Amino acid sequence: MFGLLVVDHRRRLGLTQEELAGRAGISVRTIRELEAGRVQAPRPASARLLADAFGLEGTQRDSFVRAGFPPAERPAVHCLPRPATHFRGRAGEVARLLSAVDRCRRDRSLVVAVDGMAGVGKTALVLEVAHQVADRYPGAQLFVDLHGHSTQAPVETPVALGLLLGQLGVPAGELPDDVDGRVARWRTELAGARIVVVLDNVAGSVQVRPLLPGLSSALVLVTSRRRLVGLDADEHVTLDPLDESAAVSLLAGVIGAQRMAGQDRFAQEVAGLCGNLPLALSLTAARLRYRPSWTVADLAERLRNAQPPVVELAAEGMTVAAALTLSYRQLTGPAAELLRRLGLHSGEDFDEYAAAALTGGTPATVGPAVEELLDGHLLHERGVRRYRLHDLVRDYAGRLAAEVDEEPVRRAAVRRLLEYYLHSMVTDLPDGTMIDGLHTPGWGTPSAHRRVFASEAERTRWEEAEWRNVLAAIGVAERFGMDRLVCLLARAVWGFHWRRGNAGILITVQRAALAAAQRLGDLDLTAMAHNYLAGAHARCGQMAQTREHIGHALELWRATGATSAELLTRVNLMTLDLQSGRFGEVAANGHWVLAQPAGAGESAATRRRLAINRANALRMLGECHTALGEYGTALHFLRRAACHREDLGGEGYRWAFILFEMGRAHARLGHRSVAPLLLRRALAHFEAAGNETGVAEALAEIGLIHLHAGELGEARRLHESAVRRTERAGSPQGRCLALNRLGGTVLRAGDVEAAAGLHRQALDLAERIDARYEEAVAHAGLAAALAGSDPALAARHGRTAERLYAVMSAVDPYHVDTCR
């Protein structure tokens, strides 16, 4: 509308209606009527006077004056490409954009910017919306590919305007030569018209900004691989890959439901290998569609075996890799380097510290490259300052790294990453030195990229975020033949996964470490791997393997004269013998540990680690004497262990175990004021450290105190909670204990059938993992539960319990020496 152009120019000059009237020499009423749209076409003289008042010249003046005359009727223009045949999984985005169209006033334009990674379906989305609303914008439907990411050069503004005006029927001879003139003509043509304009494949905000309408009723849909943060759009939509169901639906749409029959599992695998990316899915399905002898299972196998899978995603010259290459070529040098380095990182996600390690920079220097990859949708934010690569982008980046970077460059980047993870895990608190391990031959020179944490809680949060990445890093170390780092990383992850009961992970990792150590021919590292494999098998209740590996570790460390390392293995053997009820062996190994020199002449860190192992030995001696009913002796050892609180860091799971054993000993002595206090403090430390087994055992012991006090409801609640915690902990020993304690409480409540069932579960598990003490408890519980229904069987269970307690010289867990 001519009136809208008048408003646009008047506001540009900052004039009021009265001031414009005075400058043009026409009435204020005429200007008001024009701007309100009550007069559609001014007199030619008025149009020329207004053009003079606005200072318009040349083609801008001609376009303005021409807009004052009613346009000749012209046929509607339909330049949109056909919509995607198999459009799936974007119902939410389509509904959002249609709602925006519904809300937009008819005399206002609506600008929508859609961004996302290559092949995610941006063009398909805007074409679907454009076709759905075409009847609401009958003036024209225009489409221009601006080649922002293409093998061709990006379309320049004058050319783009010429293409758009040409689609509207403006003869080439009437096109102004200068950019400003074409912009004015473009906006003049749009004034008052209901038109859809699709500006596809935009390089950036600068390229598209001159193409936006002024005062008009147009719908403009813009797509770009970059986030158009500088574009003043009414709606910004970021597309992610499809969900699995939509991805499978797209496959089915292309190849047909008949060929999908019975192939659901393989279709899901294909979708996953395509990263649920519409372009990859379409190319893959197209290959299958024209190969009638192939099944979906065949396609899945081809993709699975492709190295990397991105190379198989091609059809008729179109490839996912080619699409990604166009994005890669737009990057600056630092961002391109970072993308290649990230192809070496096989973890789930990363932060700027890992990115800095890969590039050899700092979090501050790598930040702009991270932001550039985010803006280009080659990275995605996964959380606060955490990022991930789409699987296909990672495959592509890995290929780039192999093609562009020399092997020494790649190996150096991988080593920096591995040492970043390793040294962040083993940096001691609070002074930032690295733990001088009794059972490692040395961690190496501290990485310049390592994290130094202010507290154990901060380290734990980091470990929670990174543990999957560290496991992936061990695989990277294997692939690059960095065997020593395989061994050291396997040692470094031990504590975290032990506390969380991830025994299966520990076995896998320590087996990798053992193989790496044997390849190196390093006896110390081999012994270390055997030692920790023993612990992992013990956690799974695989006692034969446990004793085998611990025997190998002792043999190797004795052969190498590594007394301090042997000390650790004996402490581990104490843990094993406690579970098996071999309390004599526990005492013998414990006193051997205490008889070793305190570490005079060693570094402060080594002396501290020696002290930690002495504290562990003292604590297990206390646990041993509690099982024997010698509570005073138990507290003597436990108080000596507590003297090492500073060495233990004053918190965490090690200190929690000492508090727990002290609480248990006091409970057996009937100290009902101090025992719950100690046990609840231990429980809080276990919770903070994420030690589910410790939490379960503390709950079980607190439950016994309530049981002795006759508070059956609270005792049962605590024991049921303990059983649930052991399910999460993956600790067979802890589960035996919790099942037995719950069985005893249920029996006291009169439910003999449920009690018998719980004790049978505990007995089966205890026999399987050689947990003799809990085996005795289970037999005693069954004797009590079956006394009424099967006296003979109950008697046999009772005799077995008595025999086991006698062999161990132990007392049952319900024993209380004195009530005070």
Side-chain angles (χ1 to χ4, degrees):
M1 293 190 314
F2 184 78
L4 294 175
L5 287 176
V6 173
V7 173
D8 195 17
H9 285 296
R10 178 173 64 78
R11 289 177 177 172
R12 175 176 59 81
L13 296 174
L15 299 174
T16 65
Q17 290 178 332
E18 291 77 8
E19 289 170 338
L20 175 59
R23 179 181 289 195
I26 59 179
S27 70
V28 174
R29 178 181 178 182
T30 296
I31 291 176
R32 288 175 180 162
E33 293 290 317
L34 285 169
E35 291 190 355
R38 287 189 288 271
V39 173
Q40 295 294 323
R43 292 184 300 158
S46 297
R48 287 190 289 272
L49 288 171
L50 286 169
D52 292 339
F54 292 140
L56 302 178
E57 298 178 351
T59 55
Q60 278 190 298
R61 177 186 175 84
D62 293 342
S63 295
F64 179 80
V65 172
R66 190 182 299 109
F69 298 93
E73 288 295 322
R74 64 186 176 202
V77 179
H78 304 284
C79 297
L80 296 178
R82 63 176 293 192
T85 305
H86 305 291
F87 184 75
R88 300 287 193 280
R90 301 298 188 195
E93 290 86 353
V94 170
R96 174 181 168 183
L97 297 185
L98 293 179
S99 175
V101 171
D102 292 339
R103 296 193 310 270
C104 184
R105 286 169 38 187
R106 289 186 62 84
D107 61 345
R108 296 289 303 273
S109 62
L110 176 65
V111 179
V112 175
V114 178
D115 56 68
M117 68 179 293
V120 81
K122 303 178 292 296
T123 304
L125 172 66
V126 298
L127 287 178
E128 180 70 20
V129 171
H131 280 284
Q132 287 197 32
V133 300
D135 60 337
R136 304 194 218 177
Y137 294 88
Q141 295 95 45
L142 312 182
F143 179 93
V144 172
D145 182 350
L146 294 173
H147 295 291
H149 299 84
S150 168
T151 54
Q152 304 177 37
V155 177
E156 295 182 353
T157 299
V159 176
L161 288 165
L163 292 171
L164 289 165
L165 289 167
Q167 289 180 17
L168 284 176
V170 176
E174 293 186 15
L175 293 177
D177 294 329
D178 61 303
V179 174
D180 289 343
R182 291 194 178 194
V183 170
R185 180 65 185 268
W186 168 240
R187 290 177 177 166
T188 299
E189 294 290 337
L190 290 186
R194 297 282 291 174
I195 289 177
V196 176
V197 183
V198 176
L199 302 175
D200 191 38
N201 199 7
V202 169
S205 300
V206 173
Q207 185 190 28
V208 76
R209 199 177 289 122
L211 309 182
L212 298 183
L215 293 169
S216 110
S217 304
L219 167 63
V220 183
L221 300 166
V222 182
T223 73
S224 179
R225 295 187 190 180
R226 301 186 62 81
R227 293 174 178 169
L228 301 176
V229 294
L231 187 66
D232 185 20
D234 300 288
E235 293 281 340
H236 282 273
V237 177
T238 296
L239 285 189
D240 293 320
L242 300 172
D243 61 33
E244 184 183 85
S245 62
V248 171
S249 174
L250 194 157
L251 281 173
V254 176
I255 68 173
Q258 184 175 358
R259 293 184 70 184
M260 285 284 287
Q263 300 280 294
D264 289 353
R265 179 169 65 87
F266 297 110
Q268 291 166 0
E269 184 180 2
V270 168
L273 290 167
C274 290
N276 294 337
L277 197 65
L279 174 61
L281 290 161
S282 298
L283 294 176
T284 301
R287 296 184 71 196
L288 184 61
R289 181 178 184 177
Y290 295 107
R291 289 167 174 79
S293 63
W294 285 18
T295 66
V296 180
D298 295 329
L299 180 60
E301 182 179 8
R302 290 184 67 90
L303 290 174
R304 194 187 310 125
N305 294 331
Q307 293 298 326
V310 72
V311 303
E312 277 289 316
L313 303 176
E316 293 189 352
M318 295 177 61
T319 68
V320 172
L324 294 173
T325 296
L326 297 175
S327 294
Y328 173 73
R329 288 174 179 170
Q330 301 285 328
L331 299 175
T332 62
E337 178 190 2
L338 176 58
L339 182 64
R340 297 195 306 273
R341 299 291 181 272
L342 290 171
L344 304 171
H345 181 287
S346 57
E348 289 190 354
D349 61 3
F350 64 94
D351 60 12
E352 58 269 315
Y353 291 92
L358 281 165
T359 60
T362 67
T365 60
V366 82
V370 170
E371 289 298 318
E372 186 176 345
L373 294 179
L374 281 172
D375 288 342
H377 289 286
L378 291 167
L379 278 186
H380 299 284
E381 280 191 283
R382 192 172 187 184
V384 179
R385 304 184 74 131
R386 297 200 68 82
Y387 315 98
R388 66 176 295 272
L389 289 174
H390 187 279
D391 290 344
L392 296 182
V393 176
R394 179 186 290 110
D395 291 340
Y396 174 73
R399 287 183 66 198
L400 275 177
E403 293 170 1
V404 175
D405 298 318
E406 297 291 335
E407 184 179 0
V409 173
R410 299 198 306 274
R411 289 183 65 83
V414 166
R415 182 172 291 277
R416 286 193 302 269
L417 179 69
L418 300 181
E419 290 179 346
Y420 155 69
Y421 285 128
L422 172 65
H423 294 155
S424 295
M425 285 185 287
V426 301
T427 295
D428 211 347
L429 299 171
D431 59 3
T433 60
M434 286 197 298
I435 295 171
D436 187 4
L438 297 175
H439 38 283
T440 62
W443 300 111
T445 303
S447 166
H449 303 284
R450 66 185 171 137
R451 299 287 299 274
V452 177
F453 304 102
S455 66
E456 192 66 46
E458 184 182 346
R459 190 213 302 273
T460 298
R461 288 193 295 273
W462 180 85
E463 289 177 327
E464 289 282 4
E466 298 288 356
W467 69 266
R468 293 178 181 83
N469 296 322
V470 176
L471 294 182
I474 293 173
V476 172
E478 287 184 290
R479 289 198 301 275
F480 276 81
M482 298 179 181
D483 286 332
R484 182 176 179 81
L485 281 168
V486 172
C487 298
L488 296 181
L489 284 164
R491 165 63 191 97
V493 301
W494 172 266
F496 176 84
H497 291 291
W498 176 263
R499 293 190 294 274
R500 279 151 184 77
N502 299 335
I505 290 174
L506 289 174
I507 289 175
T508 299
V509 167
Q510 296 304 326
R511 282 176 177 165
L514 180 58
Q518 290 171 338
R519 286 193 297 269
L520 290 169
D522 189 308
L523 296 183
D524 285 341
L525 291 177
T526 302
M528 183 176 75
H530 278 301
N531 178 71
Y532 287 103
L533 257 178
H537 282 295
R539 196 60 177 267
C540 289
Q542 298 164 346
M543 306 318 293
Q545 295 96 318
T546 299
R547 291 194 177 276
E548 176 187 354
H549 284 294
I550 211 163
H552 288 316
L554 278 171
E555 180 182 349
L556 286 167
W557 270 328
R558 284 169 182 162
T560 59
T563 303
S564 60
E566 182 183 351
L567 183 150
L568 169 76
T569 302
R570 288 199 183 233
V571 169
N572 291 341
L573 195 53
M574 290 175 70
T575 303
L576 185 61
D577 288 333
L578 271 172
Q579 176 175 316
S580 301
R582 295 176 171 85
F583 299 121
E585 288 87 340
V586 173
N589 278 310
H591 289 294
W592 183 92
V593 170
L594 298 180
Q596 301 311 301
E602 300 282 0
S603 68
T606 298
R607 289 197 301 274
R608 175 172 174 258
R609 298 297 293 175
L610 282 164
I612 288 173
N613 281 282
R614 289 174 65 84
N616 286 337
L618 287 164
R619 187 255 303 165
M620 284 188 279
L621 284 168
E623 183 178 353
C624 172
H625 285 284
T626 296
L628 297 173
E630 299 165 353
Y631 308 124
T633 304
L635 284 171
H636 164 74
F637 284 114
L638 292 168
R639 288 175 183 132
R640 287 177 62 188
C643 293
H644 292 286
R645 178 176 181 175
E646 185 176 343
D647 297 312
L648 298 172
E651 58 181 27
Y653 71 97
R654 294 189 186 96
W655 177 242
F657 274 120
I658 293 173
L659 293 174
F660 170 73
E661 292 300 339
M662 292 180 78
R664 179 149 63 176
H666 279 292
R668 298 295 191 276
L669 286 168
H671 299 165
R672 292 180 183 166
S673 57
V674 66
L677 178 64
L678 289 167
L679 290 168
R680 292 195 180 280
R681 285 174 60 192
L683 177 62
H685 285 301
F686 284 135
E687 290 274 23
N691 191 309
E692 295 286 353
T693 300
V695 169
E697 293 189 7
L699 290 170
E701 196 62 39
I702 296 169
L704 282 183
I705 293 175
H706 286 282
L707 184 65
H708 285 305
E711 299 165 353
L712 292 180
E714 182 63 9
R716 183 167 188 162
R717 184 189 70 79
L718 289 165
H719 287 149
E720 287 174 344
S721 179
V723 171
R724 287 194 297 272
R725 289 300 189 114
T726 61
E727 290 172 359
R728 296 191 341 220
S731 168
Q733 170 72 6
R735 186 159 182 79
C736 274
L737 183 150
L739 288 168
N740 271 329
R741 303 306 176 270
L742 178 58
T745 299
V746 168
L747 179 63
R748 186 77 63 89
D751 191 345
V752 294
E753 186 174 344
L758 290 163
H759 285 305
R760 284 193 188 97
Q761 288 183 59
L763 179 58
D764 290 344
L765 187 53
E767 289 175 339
R768 194 160 65 247
I769 65 172
D770 191 26
R772 281 200 297 176
Y773 185 81
E774 291 304 325
E775 185 181 345
V777 175
H779 278 296
L782 283 166
L786 299 173
S789 61
D790 194 337
L793 181 57
R796 286 199 295 275
H797 280 297
R799 287 192 295 273
T800 303
E802 290 174 3
R803 178 179 57 78
L804 287 170
Y805 280 130
V807 169
M808 295 183 290
S809 301
V811 296
D812 70 67
Y814 301 98
H815 178 262
V816 176
D817 198 15
T818 308
C819 292
R820 300 181 186 177

